[in-house]
Amino acid sequence: QVQLVESGGGLVQTGGSLRLSCAASGRTSSHNAMGWFRQAPGKEREFVAAISWGGTSTYYADSVKGRFSISRDHSKNTVYLQMNSLKPEDTAIYYCASSRTVNVVIGRNWYDSWGQGTQVTVSS
């Protein structure tokens, strides 16, 4: 199984930027697509973005499209989420996850390894 550790969260003002990182260890030789999810207080965990194993295919939730960008660096076993033009509604705990597939998937059930999460707070 893959172990995932997120970092890069914090407090930022509306319109600001943050870059989240997700470092993978363990069975990183598996060809896994990766995803980012988020969970705000009192809400379900929701899909944010995903990237294929090869990095050539990405997919975003409508709420973040055009503002967030997902990427990966295989040499560092790390996945990134660049978040620009942040809004208060982006406030949540952000989780990195590894899927059982090579290609991009959206559903939570496709992801079998999860990080502990990193808090992102956007002040108005």
Side-chain angles (χ1 to χ4, degrees):
Q1 200 162 3
V2 177
Q3 289 77 49
L4 304 171
V5 178
E6 302 97 334
S7 61
L11 174 64
V12 64
Q13 291 184 333
T14 296
S17 298
L18 283 173
R19 188 174 84 154
L20 306 184
S21 298
C22 172
S25 60
R27 293 188 62 181
T28 56
S29 60
S30 298
H31 291 191
N32 305 100
M34 299 290 292
W36 286 94
F37 290 75
R38 66 186 182 186
Q39 188 167 16
K43 294 189 176 182
E44 296 274 329
R45 191 172 299 189
E46 64 175 3
F47 170 81
V48 174
I51 186 167
S52 62
W53 161 252
T56 57
S57 179
T58 58
Y59 192 83
Y60 299 91
D62 287 343
S63 59
V64 306
K65 202 171 294 182
R67 300 188 298 121
F68 290 13
S69 177
I70 187 171
S71 61
R72 67 190 304 168
D73 184 338
H74 285 295
S75 68
K76 298 180 179 179
N77 290 327
T78 301
V79 177
Y80 303 97
L81 185 67
Q82 178 67 44
M83 306 186 296
N84 299 326
S85 302
L86 283 161
K87 305 174 182 180
E89 50 263 44
D90 294 318
T91 294
I93 299 174
Y94 283 71
Y95 298 90
C96 172
S98 174
S99 82
R100 299 194 297 273
T101 70
V102 172
N103 296 316
V104 166
V105 288
I106 299 173
R108 285 174 53 186
N109 290 341
W110 286 101
Y111 293 85
D112 54 7
S113 294
W114 294 81
Q116 82 290 348
T118 184
Q119 177 72 47
V120 171
T121 303
V122 184
S123 63
S124 57

